[in-house]
Amino acid sequence: MKATNNNSLMVQGNDSITSVNEASYLFGAYVCQELERIGMRYSYRHVMKPLMENDSLTQLELVKITNLKAPTISITLRNMEREGIVRREKNDNDRRETHVFITDKGKKMYAKVLTALDKAEKTMLKGVNEKELKALRSTLEKMSENLRNEIK
């Protein structure tokens, strides 16, 4: 079945915006496919990087870093813990606080994730030269800045 981007229906009038939206959607769909191939749920991607960059984080810190809601983080961590990717420990001094640690299995999976992301990036950029990338980057930065200035 062909992946379709329902969000593209919401963009009207500008083919460039539609193309940016479609490329972003397809990149996500490709990454999702690659992550499933290595046995990782797509939803885990939000917490893998922060956990790899820190010895441990509290669930509240993960909520703040990822901008996800606390119940979403809780469910994601429960699934990751069940699969042996993370472990959670209550703080001895404050039992309300739970620290999250990535396991050796999680670290090995993260290495596979980086390989999958690299493959996705290379696939997406196939046939695109440095000059085109530079122009694209400049244009997207301007577009992002325009929107950033309008978001309150």
Side-chain angles (χ1 to χ4, degrees):
M1 181 166 89
K2 183 183 176 229
T4 59
N5 180 0
N6 291 332
N7 291 332
S8 66
L9 300 174
M10 297 169 62
V11 178
Q12 297 178 2
N14 190 307
D15 290 340
S16 296
I17 300 300
T18 301
S19 294
V20 167
N21 190 25
E22 189 71 7
S24 176
Y25 171 79
L26 290 170
F27 182 80
Y30 185 88
V31 168
C32 182
Q33 173 184 291
E34 289 300 303
L35 294 181
E36 286 176 1
R37 190 181 55 75
I38 63 173
M40 188 181 109
R41 294 182 195 195
Y42 189 63
S43 61
Y44 296 175
R45 73 194 188 287
H46 297 291
V47 297
M48 292 288 285
K49 185 177 185 208
L51 288 174
M52 284 297 295
E53 294 173 345
N54 298 276
D55 290 333
S56 77
L57 291 169
T58 65
Q59 285 189 210
L60 184 58
E61 288 170 328
L62 280 169
V63 167
K64 290 176 183 174
I65 290 169
T66 62
N67 293 314
L68 295 172
K69 299 203 180 317
T72 302
I73 289 292
S74 184
I75 291 166
T76 300
L77 292 174
R78 184 186 66 218
N79 290 334
M80 292 175 80
E81 188 174 37
R82 195 178 304 141
E83 293 178 32
I85 298 167
V86 300
R87 67 181 168 79
R88 294 186 283 181
E89 293 180 11
K90 291 281 186 193
N91 182 337
D92 290 335
N93 299 325
D94 184 351
R95 302 296 290 166
R96 296 171 296 173
E97 190 174 84
T98 302
H99 286 268
V100 183
F101 303 85
I102 194 157
T103 64
D104 287 338
K105 178 181 179 179
K107 290 175 184 176
K108 289 175 186 169
M109 182 171 279
Y110 187 71
K112 291 179 183 178
V113 168
L114 293 178
T115 300
L117 290 172
D118 186 54
K119 180 181 177 188
E121 186 176 307
K122 285 179 179 165
T123 299
M124 185 176 203
L125 297 178
K126 205 180 313 176
V128 180
N129 66 42
E130 192 56 42
K131 183 179 178 185
E132 292 169 319
L133 280 176
K134 187 176 180 180
L136 175 64
R137 191 169 31 255
S138 176
T139 302
L140 290 173
E141 285 171 1
K142 287 177 188 175
M143 292 165 69
S144 295
E145 187 61 26
N146 290 340
L147 291 170
R148 202 175 287 112
N149 290 334
E150 294 298 320
I151 295 174
K152 307 291 183 237

